[in-house]
Amino acid sequence: MSITNDIVLRPRFKLELKQNNQEILSAFENVKTETSEFVITRLDDHVFIKFPKSKQHFWSPQLHLEINEVDENTSLLHGLFGPNPTVWTLFMFFHFIVAGLFIAFGIWAYTNWSLNISYAIQTSLMLLMVVIWIALYFAGSIGKTSSKNEMHELNNFMHHILKTEKP
């Protein structure tokens, strides 16, 4: 699994496993009480692996696994690395605010243009929104880069539990 893609802020992967999904879910349940390095939470076919509060920082990643049964002896594991859902929601909220303001300033600039009134301020504000959006993207990229080692730790831990080789 490669997590070096520079464009994707929340890397995803998929693995086909030669085990029943209940066996895999049970393996995560069993390790849950034995380890203090990670916090493992299970909800139905979903497993969340994250770091304990004492080791977390703002961009600390977590690994969300969904383990679906294909047949009696095969399962499909979907994995998603990402920051804490609260951090991700706040991050996306800022993106939507910037996009909304960009559209509002665009409408305001178009209105001023059609009324033959100066629209330089509105155009400048639109450009500012583009700069802010780019800054948000780079902030997310920096957060991802700063968490790359932790993502590898989560990935190694998952492969250790699954007893599979890392691709």
Side-chain angles (χ1 to χ4, degrees):
M1 177 206 60
S2 174
I3 53 178
T4 59
N5 189 330
D6 291 332
I7 295 174
V8 178
L9 291 178
R10 294 186 350 156
R12 299 170 187 271
F13 62 92
K14 189 185 326 183
L15 295 172
E16 187 172 318
L17 303 169
K18 302 293 181 198
Q19 291 177 298
N20 181 293
N21 75 326
Q22 291 305 317
E23 293 173 26
I24 298 167
L25 293 167
S26 295
F28 282 105
E29 282 286 332
N30 295 338
V31 173
K32 181 182 189 173
T33 57
E34 298 171 7
T35 184
S36 61
E37 291 181 53
F38 300 97
V39 176
I40 301 172
T41 310
R42 178 183 168 202
L43 182 63
D44 297 329
D45 290 346
H46 299 266
V47 175
F48 299 90
I49 306 171
K50 53 188 164 186
F51 290 93
K53 290 278 186 201
S54 61
K55 293 183 179 180
Q56 286 183 7
H57 56 82
F58 186 74
W59 284 107
S60 284
Q62 70 176 25
L63 177 56
H64 172 207
L65 304 172
E66 183 178 359
I67 305 163
N68 297 320
E69 181 178 12
V70 174
D71 59 38
E72 292 178 10
N73 300 318
T74 310
S75 299
L76 193 58
L77 181 143
H78 297 272
L80 170 68
F81 287 99
N84 181 315
T86 307
V87 171
W88 186 251
T89 303
L90 178 68
F91 190 67
M92 293 312 298
F93 174 75
F94 287 143
H95 274 277
F96 286 119
I97 291 294
V98 168
L101 288 172
F102 178 84
I103 291 168
F105 293 141
I107 292 169
W108 189 14
Y110 175 74
T111 303
N112 282 4
W113 174 78
S114 59
L115 294 173
N116 291 322
I117 301 173
S118 174
Y119 51 92
I121 292 173
Q122 293 81 8
T123 308
S124 299
L125 290 171
M126 287 175 65
L127 289 174
L128 177 64
M129 291 302 111
V130 171
V131 169
I132 291 172
W133 179 80
I134 291 169
L136 284 171
Y137 175 78
F138 281 113
S141 295
I142 290 168
K144 176 185 164 188
T145 303
S146 70
S147 300
K148 198 162 281 199
N149 290 337
E150 292 172 326
M151 290 168 66
H152 284 291
E153 287 180 45
L154 290 168
N155 188 44
N156 293 340
F157 181 70
M158 175 198 70
H159 282 289
H160 173 73
I161 292 173
L162 297 174
K163 296 177 176 68
T164 59
E165 293 183 26
K166 293 176 277 182

